[in-house]
Amino acid sequence: MLDQASKAFFHLLARSRTLKAIASRQGMRRPTSFARRFIAGETGEEAIAAARALERRGLLHTLDLLGESVATLEEADAASREYLRVVDAIVASGIERNISIKLTQLGLDLDRASTVDNLRRLLDHADGFFVRIDMESSKYTEVTLQIFETLWQHNYRHMGVVMQSDLRRTDADVARMIEIGARVRLVKGAYREPSSIAYASKADVDAAYCRQLEQLLRHGNHPAIATHDPAMIAHAKKLAAQHGIARERFEFQMLYGIRRDLQESLVRDGYRVRVYIPFGRQWFPYFMRRLGERPANVMFVLRGILSDRGAAS
Ligand code: FDA
């Protein structure tokens, strides 16, 4: 995990309209293009094909139609209707029914009531699905949890939330979700956050992750341990063994294209492993967050761009 300064740099790039336009033109054009390592493609068909390939290898998946921070309520409505079509395509394909969504995609920056309506419409439509509400930057943490809790009280139980260990509030939030029996995906946190509310050092984030992991494994409802960090994974395995927690009672989750070796070795060892498959035209901010997590990815991208140039010339 990079420090907050590096995250800040990539979050700045993520907001650049020029880069976004260049990347959208370049990034997905060739099947070998650099963004394809992390993003399954621009269409639902490509995402479903990627999901099928994972299923053949014994992996589970969740599909994420990329998009965040829409600017108008019409865009939010269009995004939620697009999600309904994704749900239909998943049902028609026969793959496992599991999706992840972001509330700013459904209008959270604009109007809370419309966001709830859009989410409810999606949950009603997604019969037999599990719907994970991704967690965005700390600006949205409390409102996301409140919306989740409201729908939970209205008996929408086929959904779960995400908790970010880098936030100082998360120990309390984990307890809050355990209390109601909600399903939590635990991540380290991908957003740039001020040190007043977030841990700045990797050691502090990792310590928080281990603490919360233990709470969720021992007292939570089917927690998802979403990390590529071998130390966190080893800790989870050790805790599960110590407390006699069966492998069916939790799952590991990783991002598409990251540590495929580790994903497969966990499956071989009998663990449940779910891969988060992002797809869609709005891939640039997601891609920038992945670059910000690991300097080696920047080299990977640069090599990809150079080899694309070479191939084109
Ligand atoms: P850490 O960053 O310490 O990395 C450990 C090791 O993993 C690295 O040494 C490297 O080997 C590998 N690795 C990590 N990131 C890599 C990358 N980008 N490319 C290549 N290798 C990499 N965040 C959030 O804020 N809200 C959310 O809703 C989600 N949702 C989500 C779902 C799933 C399934 C996963 C796995 C992750 C998320 N995240 C997220 C992202 C998360 O917060 C975090 O930024 C990344 O998972 C990276 O942190 P790690 O736990 O992997 O550890």
Side-chain angles (χ1 to χ4, degrees), residues 2-15 19 192 288 292 298:
L2 288 187
D3 59 21
Q4 293 291 335
S6 308
K7 270 190 186 175
F9 175 65
F10 282 94
H11 280 252
L12 200 69
L13 294 185
R15 286 201 298 272
L19 270 182
R192 175 199 168 200
M288 280 294 122
V298 180

Side-chain angles (χ1 to χ4, degrees), residues 4-227:
Q4 293 291 335
S6 308
K7 270 190 186 175
F9 175 65
F10 282 94
H11 280 252
L12 200 69
L13 294 185
R15 286 201 298 272
S16 157
R17 284 174 189 275
T18 316
L19 270 182
K20 193 172 172 175
I22 294 172
S24 302
R25 274 203 309 278
Q26 288 290 325
M28 287 289 184
R29 206 183 287 158
R30 293 160 181 275
T32 53
S33 69
F34 58 84
R36 287 229 176 230
R37 174 175 167 181
F38 301 109
I39 293 139
E42 294 198 339
T43 67
E45 290 76 44
E46 287 168 297
I48 287 169
R52 282 213 177 92
L54 290 169
E55 286 185 357
R56 283 196 290 276
R57 286 157 46 212
L59 290 149
L60 307 165
H61 50 77
T62 181
L63 263 60
D64 170 48
L65 171 62
L66 290 165
E68 48 202 89
S69 303
V70 295
T72 64
L73 286 179
E74 289 70 35
E75 274 178 41
D77 183 59
S80 47
R81 276 188 283 109
E82 204 178 342
Y83 243 112
L84 300 185
R85 287 194 290 276
V86 170
V87 163
D88 292 339
I90 291 175
V91 171
S93 73
I95 61 167
E96 189 199 1
R97 301 177 181 192
N98 196 307
I99 54 174
S100 294
I101 58 151
K102 288 186 174 49
L103 292 188
T104 61
Q105 197 171 3
L106 304 185
L108 192 56
D109 280 319
L110 306 162
D111 179 48
R112 180 170 169 162
S114 315
T115 308
V116 174
D117 285 347
N118 287 335
L119 179 58
R120 201 192 291 261
R121 185 161 52 138
L122 178 61
L123 289 167
D124 287 338
H125 196 72
D127 186 33
F129 274 70
F130 183 76
V131 179
R132 180 75 66 178
I133 301 173
D134 286 348
M135 190 58 87
E136 301 174 70
S137 74
S138 59
K139 182 177 159 195
Y140 306 104
T141 310
E142 185 55 33
V143 65
T144 301
L145 294 184
Q146 286 175 10
I147 290 175
F148 177 83
E149 285 168 333
T150 305
L151 289 176
W152 185 264
Q153 280 152 15
H154 283 86
N155 259 340
Y156 285 94
R157 298 292 158 95
H158 58 306
M159 58 171 187
V161 275
V162 178
M163 311 252 103
Q164 298 152 322
S165 295
D166 64 341
L167 297 186
R168 296 178 192 273
R169 59 176 286 159
T170 296
D171 286 307
D173 288 339
V174 163
R176 178 170 161 189
M177 292 300 117
I178 287 175
E179 176 79 25
I180 62 170
R183 280 172 63 170
V184 172
R185 172 201 290 157
L186 186 65
V187 301
K188 290 192 186 179
Y191 295 84
R192 175 199 168 200
E193 303 291 357
S195 60
S196 53
I197 60 161
Y199 302 114
S201 76
K202 175 170 166 59
D204 285 345
V205 176
D206 287 357
Y209 195 97
C210 288
R211 263 195 324 272
Q212 292 146 10
L213 174 60
E214 177 158 8
Q215 288 307 307
L216 288 166
L217 271 178
R218 294 182 63 188
H219 310 293
N221 175 11
H222 198 92
I225 300 149
T227 179

Side-chain angles (χ1 to χ4, degrees), residues 238-251:
K238 194 173 108 196
L239 283 171
Q242 258 171 14
H243 297 284
I245 300 163
R247 288 171 191 194
E248 302 73 50
R249 285 184 43 214
F250 63 97
E251 65 188 43

